[in-house]
């Protein structure tokens, strides 16, 4: 489950898959508390972390309040573009200490950020090749910093004419408005709301690992797929 606390962003990157903008919406803190109360324990048990995303999450006026509250339920995972220098440096330090996981999105489509932020996230890291680019991971155990460097982008991002054909985020998305969608695609179906929970036909959907385009394929035996996923979980 990806909790999108804001759709506001201070960058407009070509490769971005999410409908973020400078005038986006923030999730009320009270709504975030409801999300945690309903699904926080299950979310952490399923993913081993609580994804706090956006937009640029550090733009949320209650960002640190949200981070601190999420720590009561598990381990937060946060991706930032690093443009808000003080927030980014604080996230890097907390990740290095193992308090949370903080990932810096750093690639050629981003606007420039302070070198001190880049250094805070890159010193002591090693690069790992991924289908979409490179991932930076720490060499030290307990250091939860990360780097995401995109070389190509998904077709459902702003650079939709070229790139990887697929879903950029195969997780249930909780939107700032309170609606819940199946995945990160812009045309993903609404499957519930924070207030009312999941619609009956989606109550057994996996919390990660599926795109609505896969879910809706007529040749997919979804109960069998779910059983296989549960088998992999042990």
């Amino acid at each position: 489950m990806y909790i999108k606390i804001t759709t506001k962003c201070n960058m407009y990157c070509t490769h971005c898959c999410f409908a973020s903008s400078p005038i986006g919406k923030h999730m009320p803190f009270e709504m975030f508390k409801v999300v945690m109360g309903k699904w926080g324990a299950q979310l952490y048990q399923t993913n081993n972390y609580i994804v706090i995303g956006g937009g640029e999450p550090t733009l949320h006026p209650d960002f640190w309040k949200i981070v601190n509250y999420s720590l009561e339920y598990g381990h937060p995972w946060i991706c930032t573009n690093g443009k808000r220098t003080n927030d980014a440096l604080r996230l890097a330090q907390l990740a290095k200490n193992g308090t949370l996981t903080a990932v810096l999105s750093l690639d050629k489509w981003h606007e420039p950020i302070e070198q001190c932020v880049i250094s805070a996230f890159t010193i002591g890291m090693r690069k790992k090749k991924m289908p979409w680019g490179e991932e930076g991971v720490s060499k030290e155990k307990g250091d939860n910093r990360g780097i995401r460097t995109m070389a190509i982008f998904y077709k459902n991002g702003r650079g939709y004419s070229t790139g990887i054909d697929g879903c950029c985020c195969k997780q249930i998305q909780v939107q700032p408005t309170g609606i819940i969608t199946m995945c990160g695609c812009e045309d993903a179906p609404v499957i519930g709301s924070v207030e009312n929970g999941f619609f009956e036909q989606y109550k057994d959907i996996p919390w990660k690992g599926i795109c609505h385009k896969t879910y809706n394929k007529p040749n997919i035996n979804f109960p069998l797929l779910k059983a296989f996923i549960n088998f992999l979980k042990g």
Side-chain angles (χ1 to χ4, degrees), residues 74-85:
H75 186 92
W77 186 101
I78 300 154
C79 186
T80 179
N81 61 27
K83 193 169 183 179
R84 288 174 64 92
T85 301

Side-chain angles (χ1 to χ4, degrees), residues 166-190:
C167 182
C168 67
C169 189
K170 297 177 183 178
Q171 293 187 22
I172 291 172
Q173 308 268 314
V174 183
Q175 306 294 333
T177 56
I179 66 168
I180 302 173
T181 56
M182 187 177 291
C183 63
C185 295
E186 289 190 10
D187 59 347
V190 175

Side-chain angles (χ1 to χ4, degrees), residues 3-72:
I3 307 172
K4 192 175 292 187
I5 63 170
T6 184
T7 55
K8 189 171 184 177
C9 193
N10 47 9
M11 290 189 184
Y12 195 79
C13 303
T14 306
H15 74 288
C16 187
C17 294
F18 296 131
S20 303
S21 74
I23 53 172
K25 296 180 179 179
H26 298 309
M27 176 182 287
F29 177 65
E30 290 303 316
M31 183 182 292
F32 182 81
K33 289 175 65 177
V34 172
V35 173
M36 288 291 96
K38 285 187 174 183
W39 302 297
Q42 182 181 352
L43 196 161
Y44 182 62
Q45 183 180 11
T46 303
N47 294 337
N48 297 322
Y49 48 74
I50 295 167
V51 179
I52 300 173
E56 169 53 37
T58 62
L59 291 175
H60 196 292
D62 292 322
F63 173 69
W64 289 106
K65 193 174 176 181
I66 286 172
V67 170
N68 290 332
Y69 192 81
S70 68
L71 285 167
E72 298 180 17

Side-chain angles (χ1 to χ4, degrees), residues 126 140 160 165 198:
R126 59 181 174 84
E140 301 294 329
Y160 59 86
D165 187 10
F198 294 94

Side-chain angles (χ1 to χ4, degrees), residues 178-181 190-194 196-199 202:
I179 66 168
I180 302 173
T181 56
V190 175
I191 61 174
S193 70
V194 172
N196 299 316
F198 294 94
F199 298 155
Y202 297 113

